[in-house]
Every structure is written in C-alpha cells, then in structure tokens.
Amino acid sequence: FKFVFDDNVAAYHTFYEWDSENKLKTELFEDYIWQDKTKTEYSYNSIADIIKSNYSSWENSVLISSGYDEYFYCDSNCSELVELQNFAEYFYNPIEFKPNKLISKIAHYNGSSFIGNTEYYYSPVTKGGTTEVNNLNIADCKVYPNPATDKITFSYNGNFDKLNLKLYQVTGACVMDREISSQENVSVKNLKNGIYLYKLTNNNETIKSGKLVKK
C-alpha cells in the first residue's frame, strides 16, 4: 500500500506479507516525512484467530521491540452478530468472520508501566434490531464438509429459493460471487489451499457468514 500526494510525492508505504495459509504474517511501514520505519509481526492460534501482534521499530539501523498486543476470545460464534459496514471497519477491526468472539485486546508498551486494555461487548441482536433474519433460523444453516477439498455444500432452511454466496480470501479479495440453492454442491477444487471467509446474503442482508478451510 502506497500513499502519494497530488504532486506524486510518496508520503508513506506499507508492505504486507502473508504465509501459505493466507494469514497476514508481517507489516513493514515506512514514513518518508517523519523518517519512521516500523515492523509488525502476527501470531495465530490453531483456528487462525490472531493472538499476538509484536511491534518494533528501527533506530540507527537496529530493530528494537516497542511492545505487543494480546488478543483474547470466548467460544461463542459471533459470525452472525456483527455486520460488516465498510472496508476500513473490516481492515482495522476484523470481527465479523471470526469463529470466536474477540473479548479483549491488551496492549503492552515497552519502557512504560502503562498497559492498555480494550474490551469488546456483544448483544444477541443482529442488524435491523431483530434476532431473526427473514424468519430464518441461523442454526439451520449448515456448511459441510469443512475443511473441504473438492466440493462444499450449503444447506439452509427458510423462505428462500436462492441465496447469494460470496467467498473471500482473508486479504479481502472476492474469489467467488454467485447464487446458490440449498443442498447445492459448490466446487472449490480450483481454489488454493488456505482459509477463506464466506457470506450468504438475501437482498444484501446477511443470512450467514463464517470461515471455510480449503485443503
């Protein structure tokens, strides 16, 4: 990512590196105006939730740690509780597709006794102020097999003939956008192995979202 002014002068840029499972591994940020250069490294748990982000910066060509954030989750599925509003919200606070609810992020700053704690709270109310979406019971929407190797099936109940399926890489790139019927087999054999995020919608209203593993 590169930000430039109208006169084509670069202000800053960020390089992103992902691993073979499409998880963001490192961010390298360089500010040409303030001459800042920093590095962020991410760690994940076994289900690909971020659990730690380490921050460091260069001082006289030496990389020095400046602190880290720790992320904590509960076991409840929040994929149907938080509606994605815009790309910036997803990029800076990616909660919607997580299998676990993010409940706390604790920031540790080196060289200081200050520790910042950000806590997240959730209600059982979905977008629109109701716990139902077009009379569909979210629990009746199933995705299998997961992990998938060749095909995946979306099974749902409700007053729907078809739903729109969108499949995203964790980077935000959409790799599939199509209509599907319940019990329809969807081919994923041409997708690269890794973690994907799916969203089922009806007239732009989210019915179900979650995480899919292709292996």
Side-chain angles (χ1 to χ4, degrees):
F1 175 82
K2 188 175 184 179
F3 178 83
V4 296
F5 293 111
D6 290 339
D7 54 2
N8 207 32
V9 175
Y12 56 84
H13 68 222
T14 305
F15 292 96
Y16 301 92
E17 180 184 7
W18 288 268
D19 64 14
S20 59
E21 296 181 337
N22 287 329
K23 295 194 295 289
L24 182 60
K25 185 178 179 180
T26 60
E27 290 183 39
L28 297 175
F29 172 81
E30 187 169 2
D31 190 319
Y32 299 113
I33 298 176
W34 300 101
Q35 302 300 309
D36 290 332
K37 190 175 182 181
T38 62
K39 181 178 183 180
T40 305
E41 299 175 280
Y42 297 95
S43 301
Y44 298 83
N45 60 20
S46 60
I47 57 174
D49 286 322
I50 183 172
I51 56 175
K52 192 173 184 180
S53 51
N54 289 293
Y55 305 104
S56 52
S57 59
W58 275 268
E59 296 183 14
N60 298 322
S61 300
V62 177
L63 190 63
I64 300 175
S65 175
S66 56
Y68 62 93
D69 289 343
E70 290 182 294
Y71 299 78
F72 299 90
Y73 304 87
C74 67
D75 293 331
S76 300
N77 190 319
C78 70
S79 61
E80 69 272 8
L81 300 183
V82 183
E83 175 71 15
L84 181 64
Q85 300 297 323
N86 53 56
F87 175 76
E89 180 178 331
Y90 168 70
F91 184 82
Y92 291 108
N93 193 19
I95 298 176
E96 180 190 13
F97 295 106
K98 284 188 172 296
N100 296 332
K101 286 184 183 179
L102 176 64
I103 58 173
S104 181
K105 182 177 72 173
I106 300 179
H108 303 260
Y109 301 97
N110 293 353
S112 172
S113 59
F114 176 75
I115 296 178
N117 183 24
T118 303
E119 295 183 351
Y120 299 84
Y121 299 89
Y122 303 85
S123 74
V125 179
T126 58
K127 183 181 179 182
T130 175
T131 56
E132 293 184 334
V133 182
N134 289 346
N135 299 316
L136 173 68
N137 184 349
I138 296 297
D140 290 337
C141 186
K142 299 178 177 62
V143 181
Y144 58 90
N146 193 6
T149 56
D150 184 34
K151 296 179 180 179
I152 188 167
T153 302
F154 293 84
S155 174
Y156 55 85
N157 295 326
N159 299 321
F160 304 109
D161 179 28
K162 290 182 179 292
L163 293 177
N164 179 258
L165 166 67
K166 287 188 178 181
L167 196 63
Y168 301 87
Q169 294 177 325
V170 292
T171 60
C174 183
V175 295
M176 185 181 297
D177 185 352
R178 53 169 292 186
E179 284 191 337
I180 63 168
S181 302
S182 182
Q183 303 292 337
E184 180 177 346
N185 293 325
V186 178
S187 176
V188 294
K189 64 180 180 180
N190 292 327
L191 297 179
K192 294 181 179 179
N193 292 349
I195 297 172
Y196 294 84
L197 313 172
Y198 70 83
K199 179 186 284 190
L200 293 172
T201 60
N202 178 58
N203 294 326
N204 295 320
E205 190 170 34
T206 299
I207 303 302
K208 181 72 174 178
S209 58
K211 182 166 60 180
L212 167 68
V213 178
K214 166 67 166 56
K215 68 176 185 179

